[in-house]
Amino acid sequence: MRTPAGEHLNLRQYALRNGLQSVLLILFMGGFLGVLGWLLWGSAGVVLLIFMGFSAVAFNPALSPRWVMKLYGAKPLDRGQLPALDQVLEWLCERAGLETVPRLYLIPSRVMNAFSVGTRGRSAIALSDAMIRRLSLRELVGVLAHEVSHIRHNDLWVMGLADLFSRLTSLLSFVGQALLVLNLPLLLLGLVTINWWLILLLVIAPVVSALAQLALSRTREYAADLNAARLTGDPEGLAHALDVIEQAQGGWLEHILMPGRRVPEPSLLRTHPQTHERVERLNALKQELDEGGALPLDALLHRFDHPEVRHTPRRRFWGTWW
């Protein structure tokens, strides 16, 4: 995809801004965790937290994408079942520089949903039955490009690190408050003094860390939208898909009559930006992308019909669709 020099600079500025926001949020979460450790146990607490963090990142085995998909009830799609999506995914991975093509899975659900799991070397993408049926092939390309962008930039690893910081912060907050309760008799007798600012920090620490984690999730979603537009040269395709997905979401009546119908999002990416904000950003990119960049996508789409799913999901007694 070729773009004029000035337009390409603007795209780089978008990417740089998103990258800087992610780095700053990670540094903030790590620094905030370090401050808590220092206030509780001094320099020894900081060293302990650094050791725990590095150990968790280095030795915590990542779940296989296949097992994660089993947790969501997703079924693997054999190559050739949906040939259009197979070839589109290969095309996107080639443009993204991914050596390994993610495995496609089908979520037997009437709720429109898609997500990716894994790393650059071992990954999978799940699409719900409803999404394949209701989105056009052009819109499905935008969705797949968004998920490929998550995999390309190791977003799940980044969000896993943020989740680790958030959990450690919550643990420290619990430990600090437990120590306060244990020393309450001494406080009442006036035998020890306490720093009330520390108590306030311990109380609000989990909330602050969670907000930073959710902000990071939104930043990574914006970045994935941007990179999806760059991969396809067609920001409108993803924007249209987001609009269709938003309109398909049920209202309050669905939550009352059919609770639990929705497919849950992966916990590490549990908060997304407002759809209208994402659509506005994607539409703004139309002026930044060269019109010639969409030609390879147009040529690819003309080769295929819309992929068809050969079954209708049915609701089982225990609540799953298939």
Side-chain angles (χ1 to χ4, degrees), residues 185-193:
L186 298 177
L187 288 172
L188 295 176
L189 295 174
L191 299 178
V192 296
T193 58

Side-chain angles (χ1 to χ4, degrees), residues 208-225:
V208 173
S209 184
L211 289 176
Q213 182 183 3
L214 300 184
L216 179 63
S217 177
R218 290 191 294 270
T219 299
R220 300 318 302 158
E221 287 300 312
Y222 285 135
D225 287 346

Side-chain angles (χ1 to χ4, degrees), residues 207-245:
V207 177
V208 173
S209 184
L211 289 176
Q213 182 183 3
L214 300 184
L216 179 63
S217 177
R218 290 191 294 270
T219 299
R220 300 318 302 158
E221 287 300 312
Y222 285 135
D225 287 346
L226 166 65
N227 285 287
R230 297 180 69 176
L231 284 177
T232 63
D234 180 31
E236 286 184 291
L238 179 56
H240 290 165
L242 292 173
D243 275 332
V244 174
I245 295 170

Side-chain angles (χ1 to χ4, degrees), residues 116-119 150 153-161 266 268-269:
S116 56
V117 295
T119 61
H150 275 312
H153 294 94
N154 288 318
D155 281 345
L156 291 178
W157 183 88
V158 173
M159 292 307 300
L161 182 60
L268 297 182
L269 294 174

Side-chain angles (χ1 to χ4, degrees), residues 1 79 84-98 101 141-142 144-145 148 228-234 293-301 303-304:
M1 180 177 59
R79 183 169 177 79
L85 294 187
D86 289 336
Q87 295 195 37
V88 163
L89 186 57
E90 290 180 358
W91 178 77
L92 289 171
C93 291
E94 181 180 355
R95 289 176 66 84
L98 292 179
V101 179
V141 171
L144 286 175
V148 166
R230 297 180 69 176
L231 284 177
T232 63
D234 180 31
L295 291 178
L297 175 62
D298 290 341
L300 185 70
L301 295 181
R303 295 168 52 190
F304 304 111

Side-chain angles (χ1 to χ4, degrees), residues 136-157:
S136 68
L137 183 55
R138 179 191 179 192
E139 293 163 347
L140 285 171
V141 171
V143 172
L144 286 175
H146 177 91
E147 300 304 332
V148 166
S149 296
H150 275 312
I151 296 170
R152 178 189 183 187
H153 294 94
N154 288 318
D155 281 345
L156 291 178
W157 183 88

